[in-house]
Amino acid sequence: MKIVVAYKWAPNPQDASVGVDGVVDWSRAKSGVSEYDPVAIELARRLADASGGEVVGLTAGPKAVDASMARKAALSRGFDRAVIVADDALERAGSTELAAVLAAAVRHIGDVDLVITGDSSVDVGAKMVPAVLAGQLGWPAVVEVTAVSGQAGILRVERDIAGGTQVLEISGPAVLAASTNAAVPRVPGMKDILAAGKKPVESLEVAALDVPAGGTTITVTDTSRPDLLARKQQMIDTADPAAAAAE
């Protein structure tokens, strides 16, 4: 069984700060494997160990995702190898574009039986990538997954639903989004970190993949009002009420 875990190397918003002008400063935000992705990795590792399978880490983003520290941090979590799509063209990629690139990478890896992702990414938290990725692949998507077992082609999946638990039997490949409480991730030790540097990594650029044409347009609205800040604490003479109201 070949299991792909799509993870994200992302800055932690808890380290960011917002200035008085409303601009978010990310300069001190440390990047790492996105908060909930280790849960997906743990689920994949347990399933692979039980079925004699392989766990392939997959990520896409700007060149920083392929830095030595980023590689070791991800591979030490339990991957057998990694495929990294590192391209600065993905610097501002949205969920739809990232999912399309990840789907193309899954096709590039080939013979993938299962894709597992985290619940959401720590920096965006849109919870869109698993469903869009599944749509790009033409596979079913199951979210809030708490457990998975079985062999390639026939999987038993448990997921949280309102008021209880749902058990599904899935034939064929699928995309699963792990619930945040699906597993307790293992903490990499020094041995894992040292071994991570010896694991195989395939680095790709977007041009090397068969990514369908398309894209999204992102419109950003600036809500900062420097003019209001400049007028703060300005005294208004109320001797003339009409003039004061106009001012």
Side-chain angles (χ1 to χ4, degrees):
M1 175 180 271
K2 187 183 294 184
I3 306 169
V4 168
V5 176
Y7 70 94
K8 189 174 186 181
W9 184 256
N12 192 329
Q14 293 183 8
D15 298 328
S17 60
V18 181
V20 295
D21 57 356
V23 176
V24 180
D25 179 10
W26 290 92
S27 61
R28 297 183 181 179
K30 297 179 181 179
S31 293
V33 175
S34 186
E35 186 173 2
Y36 302 125
D37 291 345
V39 176
I41 299 170
E42 184 66 26
L43 278 184
R45 186 71 269 167
R46 293 179 186 180
L47 181 61
D49 290 345
S51 62
E54 176 190 31
V55 181
V56 183
L58 171 63
T59 192
K63 290 291 186 180
V65 304
D66 199 23
S68 176
M69 183 180 69
R71 285 186 178 195
K72 288 183 179 180
L75 286 164
S76 66
R77 291 281 183 177
F79 295 133
D80 296 305
R81 61 187 177 97
V83 175
I84 299 175
V85 184
D87 195 318
D88 285 337
L90 299 175
E91 178 71 45
R92 289 186 166 274
S95 300
T96 302
E97 186 178 355
L98 280 176
V101 172
L102 291 172
V106 170
R107 291 190 290 267
H108 171 82
I109 293 169
D111 299 321
V112 175
D113 299 294
L114 181 65
V115 175
I116 305 180
T117 74
D119 173 76
S120 61
S121 62
V122 69
D123 57 337
V124 178
K127 297 189 176 184
M128 287 179 56
V129 169
V132 180
L133 171 58
Q136 289 278 350
L137 293 170
W139 297 357
V142 183
V143 300
E144 297 295 338
V145 172
T146 56
V148 56
S149 59
Q151 300 289 331
I154 302 179
L155 294 172
R156 184 179 186 274
V157 178
E158 297 180 23
R159 64 183 293 261
D160 283 337
I161 60 173
T165 300
Q166 184 181 52
V167 179
L168 304 171
E169 188 173 277
I170 301 174
S171 60
V175 176
L176 309 182
S179 172
T180 57
N181 61 350
V184 178
R186 64 193 71 187
V187 178
M190 184 57 66
K191 183 179 179 180
D192 300 311
I193 296 172
L194 292 175
K198 301 177 182 179
K199 293 181 179 180
V201 176
E202 181 181 7
S203 298
L204 302 168
E205 293 186 350
V206 174
L209 299 171
D210 183 16
V211 181
T216 56
T217 300
I218 300 176
T219 302
V220 179
T221 302
D222 184 1
T223 58
S224 62
R225 291 290 304 275
D227 57 321
L228 293 181
L229 294 175
R231 293 203 304 267
K232 191 175 182 180
Q233 298 181 350
Q234 180 179 348
M235 300 299 293
I236 298 176
D237 185 0
T238 59
D240 184 341
E247 186 176 355

